């Protein structure tokens, strides 16, 4: 996490890392509210079937966040 945050620090937007315990979706939404976040960015590598059967963190965050949520699917062709 810190390595990725360090990589992004010179990119443009403010990047910070925090450690939380609990339900991932709940903690993400609470942190975004506490930090007055303007955008939540999540990576989602689950399949659609998994999301339907179990629900997904990304879906729950999108449903409860008070700011925009961008869900990205990591790929092999990551820009350098």
């Amino acid at each position: 996490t810190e390595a990725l945050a360090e990589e992004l620090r010179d990119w443009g937007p403010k990047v910070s890392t925090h450690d939380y315990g609990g339900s991932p979706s709940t903690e993400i939404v609470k942190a975004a509210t506490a930090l007055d976040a303007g955008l939540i960015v999540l990576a989602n590598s689950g399949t659609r079937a998994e999301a339907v059967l179990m629900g997904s963190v990304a879906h729950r965050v999108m449903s409860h966040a008070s700011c925009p949520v961008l869900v990205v699917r990591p790929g092999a062709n990551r820009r350098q």
Side-chain angles (χ1 to χ4, degrees):
T1 303
E2 280 299 324
L4 179 58
E6 188 60 35
E7 184 179 321
L8 295 174
R9 285 196 210 289
D10 295 330
W11 180 59
K14 180 181 175 189
V15 176
S16 60
T17 61
H18 303 272
D19 293 320
Y20 296 94
S23 164
S25 58
T26 300
E27 295 303 316
I28 290 168
V29 171
K30 283 180 9 184
T33 301
L35 295 167
D36 195 26
L39 175 68
I40 300 170
V41 180
L42 299 171
N44 184 10
S45 59
T47 66
R48 182 171 221 158
E50 288 171 340
V52 169
L53 294 174
M54 299 180 291
S56 72
V57 171
H59 185 265
R60 288 190 297 271
V61 170
M62 288 187 301
S63 297
H64 294 73
S66 59
C67 65
V69 179
L70 174 63
V71 181
V72 296
R73 187 178 212 54
N77 295 329
R78 184 174 161 212
R79 288 186 178 183
Q80 299 280 333

